[in-house]
Amino acid sequence: MTATMNEVINAAGALAKIAPLLGDNVSEHDYHDALALVEHLLETDENNVLVDILCQKITAYESTMPKVIAMNERLATVDSGTSMLRLLIDQHSLTLSDFENEIGKKAMVSLILNGKRQLSLDHIHKLAARFNISPALFV
């Protein structure tokens, strides 16, 4: 090792002073600064060792944010098949009648979108084939 342990420790301490998200006492301002730094690094030096370190710290900080916690709790209750179907409808400007070959009549599509029915495996495979996407996106 070319640097001594003390040099590494001192360098880490100096870095934490410059980029506080790398330290222990983090503020929302530090979080936003770290996001900006990662964005800059991804545009200019994506292989920089700081990208991985900062991303881990950003993820850890976000896991403590009430808004992120609430969003994750909401996402856990959302059916991914229904969400993907809604996304396809929005992206392709489709109507409920446009899924007759994959799902059936628009009443069935409506039941699925309203959470009263779920997509079957047959529906999922037909939708995946139509839109050339992985069936896993519905699960």
Side-chain angles (χ1 to χ4, degrees):
M1 184 175 204
T2 56
T4 67
M5 283 189 259
N6 284 338
E7 288 174 317
V8 172
I9 292 168
N10 290 338
L15 185 57
K17 287 180 184 175
I18 298 168
L21 187 76
L22 296 174
D24 294 329
N25 192 12
V26 180
S27 71
E28 188 169 346
H29 183 272
D30 301 333
Y31 163 74
H32 288 287
D33 285 350
L35 289 174
L37 180 55
V38 167
E39 183 177 349
H40 173 76
L41 287 170
L42 290 174
E43 292 172 355
T44 60
D45 187 11
E46 66 186 43
N47 295 320
N48 191 302
V49 68
L50 280 177
V51 173
D52 288 337
I53 296 168
L54 284 168
C55 286
Q56 288 175 11
K57 288 294 211 168
I58 287 168
T59 300
Y61 181 79
E62 286 175 342
S63 72
T64 67
M65 297 172 74
K67 289 179 183 179
V68 174
I69 293 168
M71 179 189 69
N72 287 335
E73 288 172 353
R74 283 192 310 272
L75 286 175
T77 65
V78 173
D79 176 57
S80 57
T82 303
S83 296
M84 180 53 70
L85 183 58
R86 287 184 191 283
L87 180 66
L88 292 170
I89 289 169
D90 290 344
Q91 284 185 338
H92 297 279
S93 300
L94 299 170
T95 66
L96 302 188
S97 300
D98 293 324
F99 294 98
E100 193 161 333
N101 292 331
E102 295 80 21
I103 298 174
K105 302 284 184 192
K106 66 181 181 178
M108 176 60 88
V109 178
S110 179
L111 288 171
I112 291 169
L113 291 173
N114 289 318
K116 294 184 176 28
R117 296 279 177 105
Q118 292 200 349
L119 289 170
S120 70
L121 284 176
D122 187 50
H123 296 152
I124 290 170
H125 288 292
K126 287 178 180 179
L127 288 165
R130 175 179 176 182
F131 294 100
N132 196 30
I133 58 177
S134 170
L137 294 172
F138 291 93
V139 181

